[in-house]
Amino acid sequence: MKIKKFIKKHKYVLSFCLLLVCFSLFMSLLFHKESDYFWHVKAGEVMFLNKNILTKDVFSWFLKGSYWMSHEWAFDMLIFLLLNIFGKVHLFIYTFVATLGLLLILFFTNKKDYLKNTIFSMLWLVGFLIFCVYMQARPHLLSFSFLALTIYFLYDLYKNAESRKIFWLPLVSLFWANFHGGSSNLSYLFCFIFVVVGAFKFDFTKIWAKRISKKQVKKYLIVAFLCIIAICFNPHGVRMLVYPYINIFDTVMINFISEWQPTVLSNPSHYPYFAFIIIIMLVMLFSKKKIEFIDFCLFGVSVVLGLKSIRFWGYTYLIMSYVIFKYIESRKVDKGTCGCLLLLSAIFFGIFITNRSTLIQEYDKRVLSKELISTIKKENPSRLYNMYDYGGELIYNDIFVFVDGRADLYSRNNLKDYSDISLLQGDYIKTIDKYNFDYFLVDSKYPIATYLSCSDEYTEIYREKSIILYKKDLTDN
């Protein structure tokens, strides 16, 4: 009887939670494996076996022994641990749990808002598809939860000067700095944003602002200071505070990595993000409620980030999840609400069940075949030139690389040279001679492959699809 009463009393919450579980299962089907996974899991393996956190490179023949800002070391160990516990399904376990955890955080920290208009809440959940580009075995999925908690704690204090939940934020910063340190500075930066915006008080047409109390300002500043200290508790110490700002001005890395590219109207694949922010703007503008200045500013900050880089699209969704519901009218919950939630849950679960085999197929997917890896190991190159996207798999197979997905490590060393060689830009012949490569692992679609095929210095020794392995002829040396 107690169970029945509990279900009856909380049927809307339970129905929505079931929807989130099934939706998370559906989202896991969008997972795609990319090359960074391989060096992440290999780094985790090395750290586990050596019982030591890596702070120097051990995977590149060119930079071996150089300082490496391993700001994702805790994630590397986590993914390796999951692999050993769950085997082939560990990638599904990670993406599913990380996605569900994020959705539950958003729901339970906004429960009243989500349930006051379940139709809009379900539509807003569809907007979560913006995260499909992040369905990878990378630490970004954890960063989203850390950011969601950050915004929740900050808003909670903004609404209630007596709130103490914000003092959990330094602990969030501590985890953030070790699982994905590159974005952990956002915890204290948003504290400062709330302080600055909270200094204003006005009421002008559609926008109004309230000035926060000295007590609130004091709490924000204390927590910001504690977050800064917490971030320093990592294998790299104070360097972690400076690291994100160095990356912001690293033009070589920004121009090279696709996810760092700006959001532009000339790219049709970016249209969903523009549609998303336009919908948010319309909801706020046509709402009967005035727009609170803090909401307006956070929307502006999130859009600036999203336009600056496609990797920040998810930030707009997360931040606005604590804003948009204020501007949605309440809707009476009727008898069909639970039925609709259960129907959607059944649809998402059905899609997952009928397509679940793709998860194992995605895990088994490799760019470099076993035969190619075996050939490279047999040749035993000492100065291999490899395409950027091949680096992760080579590292996973204990082959030293020239470059790999750790662009921040290479950007101030050889990343520009790699780009010039692959595209035959600048004085590329001189650049090739500079490194004295003995083998080249290239993609036939790149200009470097054409150069190697036309040169008498290099011999093709293996080919599969578009991947070619060349060996330098040393007979004349």
Side-chain angles (χ1 to χ4, degrees):
M1 291 297 293
K2 289 184 178 180
I3 296 176
K4 288 184 178 180
K5 287 182 178 180
F6 177 83
I7 293 175
K8 186 176 181 179
K9 182 179 179 181
H10 301 284
K11 61 181 180 180
Y12 297 114
V13 173
L14 294 173
S15 298
F16 211 97
C17 286
L18 178 62
L19 173 60
L20 296 182
V21 171
C22 294
F23 184 73
S24 298
L25 289 171
F26 164 75
M27 287 296 294
S28 68
L29 294 174
L30 303 178
F31 171 82
H32 54 283
K33 193 175 183 180
E34 43 79 60
S35 59
D36 277 2
Y37 160 78
F38 295 98
W39 71 256
H40 276 303
V41 74
K42 191 64 179 182
E45 178 186 352
V46 171
M47 286 186 278
F48 260 103
L49 293 178
N50 295 331
K51 298 180 180 180
N52 187 35
I53 298 172
L54 288 174
T55 56
K56 292 185 178 180
D57 175 61
V58 296
F59 302 125
S60 167
W61 61 263
F62 178 66
L63 291 175
K64 189 175 182 180
S66 299
Y67 179 75
W68 171 38
M69 175 63 78
S70 51
H71 66 105
E72 300 160 329
W73 71 270
F75 168 78
D76 299 342
M77 297 183 78
L78 171 64
I79 203 69
F80 175 71
L81 184 63
L82 291 176
L83 172 61
N84 280 269
I85 295 174
F86 298 105
K88 286 189 174 184
V89 298
H90 75 286
L91 294 178
F92 161 69
I93 296 293
Y94 172 69
T95 53
F96 170 68
V97 172
T99 302
L100 179 60
L102 173 58
L103 288 171
L104 289 177
I105 288 172
L106 293 176
F107 176 66
F108 280 104
T109 55
N110 286 285
K111 188 169 62 175
K112 290 182 179 179
D113 287 331
Y114 269 77
L115 295 178
K116 78 176 185 180
N117 191 323
T118 51
I119 290 180
F120 179 81
S121 298
M122 285 184 278
L123 292 174
W124 185 254
L125 184 62
V126 174
F128 194 83
L129 287 171
I130 202 171
F131 285 84
C132 67
V133 296
Y134 303 106
M135 290 294 104
Q136 306 166 4
R138 298 175 66 186
H140 300 72
L141 287 177
L142 300 178
S143 267
F144 294 137
S145 290
F146 296 142
L147 177 61
L149 288 171
T150 297
I151 300 300
Y152 167 64
F153 292 141
L154 293 173
Y155 252 123
D156 192 67
L157 177 59
Y158 191 82
K159 298 172 187 175
N160 177 17
E162 303 301 320
S163 174
R164 295 184 178 181
K165 293 178 183 177
I166 194 172
F167 289 106
W168 285 101
L169 189 53
L171 182 61
V172 172
S173 299
L174 177 63
F175 282 100
W176 203 345
N178 289 280
F179 278 94
H180 192 207
S183 57
S184 58
N185 282 17
L186 289 174
S187 59
Y188 68 81
L189 288 176
F190 272 103
C191 286
F192 294 140
I193 289 174
F194 272 77
V195 169
V196 172
V197 175
F200 293 89
K201 182 181 180 181
F202 61 84
D203 192 340
F204 181 73
T205 61
K206 184 67 176 176
I207 302 179
W208 70 281
K210 70 171 184 179
R211 184 176 291 116
I212 59 176
S213 66
K214 291 182 179 179
K215 188 175 184 179
Q216 288 168 298
V217 172
K218 184 178 179 180
K219 285 184 178 180
Y220 280 128
L221 294 179
I222 289 174
V223 169
F225 177 71
L226 292 176
C227 286
I228 291 173
I229 294 176
I231 291 171
C232 294
F233 280 90
N234 68 85
H236 306 279
V238 180
R239 290 181 179 181
M240 190 63 73
L241 291 172
V242 182
Y243 172 73
Y245 302 110
I246 294 175
N247 286 345
I248 288 175
F249 298 104
D250 190 338
T251 55
V252 174
M253 184 173 67
I254 291 174
N255 293 331
F256 184 80
I257 300 178
S258 58
E259 67 181 33
W260 278 103
Q261 299 306 304
T263 305
V264 292
L265 283 170
S266 58
N267 190 335
S269 67
H270 295 178
Y271 289 175
Y273 180 75
F274 285 108
F276 181 65
I277 59 176
I278 289 172
I279 290 171
I280 294 174
M281 289 173 60
L282 292 175
V283 168
M284 296 177 73
L285 286 173
F286 288 98
S287 172
K288 295 179 181 179
K289 296 180 180 179
K290 286 189 174 183
I291 301 172
E292 196 167 355
F293 189 48
I294 183 66
D295 299 337
F296 175 80
C297 290
L298 287 178
F299 174 62
V301 169
S302 68
V303 170
V304 168
L305 288 172
L307 294 178
K308 179 177 174 55
S309 171
I310 61 176
R311 70 175 298 167
F312 295 130
W313 287 3
Y315 288 7
T316 303
Y317 183 91
L318 294 176
I319 294 171
M320 296 312 295
S321 291
Y322 292 93
V323 172
I324 196 68
F325 289 96
K326 298 179 186 178
Y327 304 95
I328 298 297
E329 293 297 318
S330 297
R331 178 182 179 276
K332 185 179 180 181
V333 177
D334 54 37
K335 295 179 180 180
T337 300
C338 276
C340 186
L341 292 171
L342 293 175
L343 177 61
L344 283 176
S345 299
I347 291 173
F348 286 125
F349 185 71
I351 295 173
F352 169 76
I353 288 297
T354 55
N355 294 274
R356 64 187 185 281
S357 60
T358 60
L359 296 170
I360 298 299
Q361 294 171 7
E362 190 65 28
Y363 170 77
D364 290 331
K365 189 168 69 177
R366 299 284 192 278
V367 173
L368 309 179
S369 68
K370 292 181 180 178
E371 292 76 13
L372 175 55
I373 293 296
S374 178
T375 301
I376 297 173
K377 286 190 172 184
K378 184 178 178 181
E379 294 291 327
N380 192 27
S382 58
R383 295 179 303 281
L384 173 70
Y385 172 92
N386 61 277
M387 304 306 293
Y388 181 85
D389 290 337
Y390 302 163
E393 287 191 50
L394 292 171
I395 288 174
Y396 186 78
N397 288 281
D398 300 311
I399 298 171
F400 289 110
V401 300
F402 182 58
V403 291
D404 60 82
R406 299 168 298 160
D408 52 341
L409 171 64
Y410 300 105
S411 62
R412 286 172 289 279
N413 293 287
N414 58 332
L415 191 58
K416 177 64 167 59
D417 287 345
Y418 161 78
S419 180
D420 287 346
I421 293 172
S422 64
L423 300 175
L424 298 186
Q425 294 178 339
D427 194 350
Y428 60 89
I429 295 179
K430 183 178 179 180
T431 307
I432 291 174
D433 292 338
K434 169 184 173 182
Y435 293 100
N436 193 26
F437 300 109
D438 54 357
Y439 287 82
F440 286 77
L441 184 63
V442 299
D443 189 314
S444 61
K445 295 189 284 290
Y446 281 77
I448 179 60
T450 303
Y451 168 77
L452 294 171
S453 66
C454 296
S455 174
D456 295 332
E457 276 191 88
Y458 306 96
T459 303
E460 178 184 317
I461 61 174
Y462 190 93
R463 177 190 287 260
E464 58 179 33
K465 297 180 181 178
S466 65
I467 306 172
I468 313 172
L469 179 63
Y470 285 95
K471 179 180 181 179
K472 185 176 183 181
D473 186 358
L474 302 176
T475 55
D476 295 332
N477 291 353

